[in-house]
């Protein structure tokens, strides 16, 4: 490679695509376009309006491995590799059950989770707990295995968890 090619390679910007739900929404679906680009679909079910998750600033994880985390965002690099933003929510293992462990999505396909309703009230909804990226050896294309939780709204406390309150500024311990 000539010096000119090396210089051009260094100067070319790296293409990165990102998609984020943030701390107050949940990922209920994922779409993989035919060209391999990934999008996550976010929602704020009415039974989750006052709930709090702790999300990092960037998507830097290869997997969301704890039973108290969900995918709050994805970053897809030019080579197709995927990094996840794993949001922690302490109550997830208490109020959710595993719906699907390895739901496979291929290019040109999508997954959209279910919402169960009682009148106008959401009683349960699906969310993406983890995304495993797998490269097909024959074609070189990526497929994705999703971990899907069913979150049961039920008797969810209305107050934020203690860790969330301590992150707010200014914080002081209430006097009894």
């Amino acid at each position: 490679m000539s010096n000119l090619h090396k210089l051009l390679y260094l100067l070319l910007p790296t293409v990165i695509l990102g998609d984020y739900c943030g701390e107050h929404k949940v990922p209920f679906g994922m779409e993989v376009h035919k060209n391999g680009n990934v999008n996550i679909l976010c929602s704020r079910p009415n039974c989750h309006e006052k709930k709090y998750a702790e999300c990092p600033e960037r998507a830097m994880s290869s997997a969301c491995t704890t039973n108290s985390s969900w995918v709050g965002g994805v970053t897809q690099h030019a080579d197709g590799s995927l990094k996840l933003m794993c949001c922690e929510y302490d109550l997830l293992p208490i109020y959710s059950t595993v719906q699907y462990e390895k739901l496979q999505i291929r290019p040109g396909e999508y997954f959209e989770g279910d919402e169960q309703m009682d009148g106008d009230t959401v009683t349960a909804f699906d969310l993406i707990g983890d995304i495993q990226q797998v490269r097909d050896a024959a074609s070189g294309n990526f497929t994705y295995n999703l971990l899907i939780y069913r979150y049961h709204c039920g008797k969810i406390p209305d107050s934020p968890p203690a860790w969330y309150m301590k992150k707010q500024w200014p914080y002081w311990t209430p006097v009894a």
Side-chain angles (χ1 to χ4, degrees), residues 98-103 111 114 126 146-150:
V98 173
Q99 191 71 7
Y100 305 103
E101 284 195 44
K102 288 192 174 185
L103 179 69
F111 164 78
D114 290 334
D126 294 342
L146 308 182
L147 170 64
I148 305 298
Y149 290 116
R150 168 80 36 97

Side-chain angles (χ1 to χ4, degrees), residues 59-79:
M60 298 177 62
S61 299
S62 298
C64 299
T65 57
T66 68
N67 68 346
S68 60
S69 65
W70 66 60
V71 177
V74 296
T75 299
Q76 189 172 21
H77 296 268
D79 66 356

Side-chain angles (χ1 to χ4, degrees), residues 90-148:
D90 292 340
L91 300 177
L92 189 62
I94 298 169
Y95 295 107
S96 68
T97 55
V98 173
Q99 191 71 7
Y100 305 103
E101 284 195 44
K102 288 192 174 185
L103 179 69
Q104 187 178 66
I105 307 293
R106 294 178 288 273
E109 297 180 345
Y110 71 95
F111 164 78
E112 190 172 310
D114 290 334
E115 248 185 14
Q116 295 179 346
M117 307 284 290
D118 182 11
D120 290 339
T121 305
V122 176
T123 59
F125 58 90
D126 294 342
L127 63 101
I128 301 172
D130 189 26
I131 302 172
Q132 178 188 22
Q133 186 179 42
V134 179
R135 185 184 291 270
D136 182 86
S139 70
N141 293 331
F142 289 111
T143 60
Y144 302 89
N145 293 326
L146 308 182
L147 170 64
I148 305 298

Side-chain angles (χ1 to χ4, degrees), residues 2-3 5 20 28-29 40-42 45 54 57 65-66 85 89 96 98 102-103 106 118 133 139 148 154 172 175:
S2 72
N3 286 338
H5 285 107
Y20 304 97
F28 73 92
I40 56 173
L41 309 172
C42 305
E54 187 170 15
E57 289 183 19
T65 57
T66 68
M85 174 188 288
Y89 181 60
S96 68
V98 173
K102 288 192 174 185
L103 179 69
R106 294 178 288 273
D118 182 11
Q133 186 179 42
S139 70
I148 305 298
W172 61 88
V175 179

